[in-house]
Structures are given as structure tokens and as C-alpha cells.
Amino acid sequence: MVAYAAKRLLAAIPVLVGLSVIVFAIMAMIPGDTALAILGSYATPENVARLNADLGLDRSLPEQYLAWAGNLVQGDLGRSYALNRPVLDEVSERFAATLILAGTSLVLASILGLLAGIVSAARQFGWADRIVTFLVLVGISTPAFLLGLILILLFAVRWRLFPASGMYAVYGGGDLADLLHHLVLPSITLAVIAAGIIARLTRGAMLEVLRQDFVRTARAKGLSERAVIGRHALRAALVQVIPVIGLQAGFVLGGAVYVETVFQWPGIGAMLVNAVAQRDILLVQGGVLVVAASYVLVNLLADVAQASLDPRLKS
């Protein structure tokens, strides 16, 4: 398994290099002058040209990329123009907040999706299957930002059960209980669509597995239905479901951008929105690259987990 994980890790390196090229190219294609955006509309052409030279923006794009990539390899993501602090420090702080939100949402989506898919498959065409199918369709069809606004209106404004914004209370709090209190609404908002997708695919995988011979054999031995599903069918179905959970990790990380904006969560998504508005190129490049690298890492872990359940995939 260690050799397989190392092989997958080596295969991810070209992907990360390609991601760095794409991120750099996208930011280079954004119209406008970075130095002018920093100095303001009243800056003189001489000052704009001097700042462009200081930032290295007067060089060719390949030269700019090689300089940026060289610093990146050494762990230097540059310095934010707008915040006047190292990009790595800002991204690290913001990404920690995003990981808390996205990680909680992914765990919540996986638990709800797996349970809903198993119940739906075990009670195919029954009332439980119909209720789960209806809820899954509603969850998948509802835009996350709309769901977030509805939850704020009901649970924060009307019933005052949970806070509507922030990661901690402005006055007091700051402990784990305060964090969990603030985490409820944004994590549910981010988890609903992913849970629906996981539930649908779990249901399909379970129905396929439940029709196979080894499940009939387990039932013929007199095992209870709970033991057949829990010990035999679920393990086989997880081989198909785990890659989907890995893909949903990317969806959750991407979806955190607008959920953090709706709930004013101080994560990397809200940081990117502000950085793009201020044309803080190095901060955007660093933030996007960290999110993309995290997505590659999560999918690598999903591949390793899938191979541990089905050793045939190692070949």
C-alpha cells in the first residue's frame, strides 16, 4: 500500500505543475494594470512604470512564471500588496478556517449521504425510499446561497437559535462551543448538495451489490439483514462511493467561496473575493493554488482508501 501511495503521489506532481501554470496564466490574462490598481487612478506614468519594474511585471510572462515558481518551490508565495504581509501567512490563517468549515461539511455530507443511500436501497420502493428520494431531489435542486439565506432567516433572525455570521462571537466566546455554535448553519448549507449526490450514488451502488451472489450466500447462511448490509454489501459498495466523496471534497472547497461570503466566514473563499476586487494578484494566485493542491491531495487519499478496500485497483 505504501508503494501504491508513493506512486500516486509522484503522479500528482505533474498535475500540480500544470495547475500552477493554469493559475498563473488565468491571472495574467485578467485585463488592467496591477501597478495602476495599487497606486490609484491619480498615479503618474513614471510611478506606474517604476512599480511594475519593482514587481517584475515588466518582464515577459515566461520569466515572470519562472520567478514565481522558483519562489514557490522555496515556500515563498510573495507579499500581498493590499494587506502588506506575506501571502503564505494570510493564506495559512484563512485556509485553516476554510478547512474547519469544509471538513465539517464533508464529514456531515458523507454521514448523511451514506445513511440515506443505505436506507433508501434497503427499503427500495417503500415509503422510506420515497421520502429519501424526495429530500435528495430538493437538496440537490436548491442553490446553496438560497438555502443559506433561508436558514439565516429562520434560525438566526426569526428563532434566534444560531448566529447569522462570523466564526466566533464578537464579545466573549472564542472557545470550541462558540465555534460549533457558529458552524451549524454554514456547514449544513455547504453539506446539503454533497449529501444528496452521495446518497444517490450510494443507493445505486448498494442496489447493484445487493443483487450479487455473495450477498445471496450471506442471506442463505441465516445472517440478519443488518449484518448482510453492514458486513458485506456496504464494504463492496464503498469501493464505488469513496471516489465520489473525494470529488465532493472539491465541490465543498469550491462552494465554500460563496457560503463564506453569505455567512461572513473568515476563510479563504472570502479572502479570494476581496483579493480579486483589489487585484491582489499574488494573494489570488497563492489562495487558488493552495485550494487546488488540497483538492488533488484529497483525491489522492480517496484513491488510496479505495485501493485498500479493493486490492485489484493497485494494478
Side-chain angles (χ1 to χ4, degrees):
M1 184 53 68
V2 175
Y4 177 76
K7 182 180 176 182
R8 295 291 300 152
L9 187 60
L10 288 175
I13 292 177
V15 177
L16 293 174
V17 173
L19 278 173
S20 70
V21 174
I22 292 172
V23 169
F24 183 85
I26 290 175
M27 292 308 300
M29 286 188 293
I30 293 179
D33 192 304
T34 301
L36 186 61
I38 296 171
L39 296 174
S41 56
Y42 295 103
T44 63
E46 292 77 14
N47 289 337
V48 171
R50 189 180 303 115
L51 184 56
N52 274 325
D54 291 342
L55 298 174
L57 298 177
D58 57 343
R59 293 181 286 180
S60 65
L61 287 179
E63 289 177 327
Q64 291 182 40
Y65 172 76
L66 290 176
W68 177 68
N71 293 330
L72 182 63
V73 171
Q74 301 174 41
D76 181 9
L77 297 180
R79 194 171 186 84
S80 167
Y81 315 140
L83 303 176
N84 192 27
R85 65 175 308 201
V87 170
L88 185 59
D89 293 350
E90 180 69 14
V91 170
S92 299
E93 291 178 9
R94 294 299 194 117
F95 193 58
T98 295
L99 274 184
I100 292 173
L101 174 59
T104 304
S105 300
L106 186 62
V107 170
L108 187 62
S110 300
I111 293 173
L112 292 177
L114 287 171
L115 287 176
I118 293 170
V119 169
S120 185
R123 299 285 185 270
Q124 188 183 17
F125 303 133
W127 62 268
D129 184 22
R130 293 190 179 92
I131 291 175
V132 169
T133 301
F134 173 75
L135 292 177
V136 165
L137 286 175
V138 171
I140 293 176
S141 306
T142 305
F145 73 92
L146 178 60
L147 177 61
L149 294 175
I150 293 173
L151 292 180
I152 289 175
L153 181 64
L154 294 178
F155 292 95
V157 177
R158 187 177 181 85
W159 297 321
R160 299 180 181 277
L161 296 176
F162 299 103
S165 63
M167 192 170 169
Y168 293 103
V170 177
Y171 301 104
D175 54 13
L176 180 60
D178 189 33
L179 172 62
L180 295 176
H181 195 210
H182 283 74
L183 195 56
V184 172
L185 296 186
S187 62
I188 290 175
T189 302
L190 197 52
V192 165
I193 294 179
I197 295 172
I198 293 172
R200 290 189 68 174
L201 292 171
T202 301
R203 181 182 184 274
M206 286 293 294
L207 288 175
E208 182 181 336
V209 170
L210 288 173
R211 298 190 185 101
Q212 294 185 10
D213 292 339
F214 76 92
V215 174
R216 295 194 188 97
T217 303
R219 284 171 173 158
K221 289 179 180 177
L223 293 177
S224 65
E225 191 64 17
R226 180 175 296 181
V228 170
I229 292 175
R231 297 178 191 171
H232 300 278
L234 180 58
R235 180 184 174 88
L238 282 177
V239 175
Q240 301 179 45
V241 176
I242 283 178
V244 177
I245 294 177
L247 292 174
Q248 291 311 303
F251 168 80
V252 168
L253 281 172
V257 174
Y258 46 82
V259 171
E260 287 175 0
T261 303
V262 171
F263 288 94
Q264 296 181 28
W265 188 266
I268 205 166
M271 181 203 77
L272 286 174
V273 172
N274 293 330
V276 170
Q278 296 171 332
R279 199 177 166 75
D280 197 341
I281 292 179
L282 290 178
L283 191 57
V284 176
Q285 287 174 338
V288 172
L289 193 62
V290 168
V291 171
S294 304
Y295 179 55
V296 172
L297 179 62
V298 168
N299 276 279
L300 188 151
L301 294 176
D303 287 346
V304 173
Q306 187 185 23
S308 68
L309 291 173
D310 188 353
R312 294 173 299 176
L313 297 174
K314 295 178 185 176
S315 59

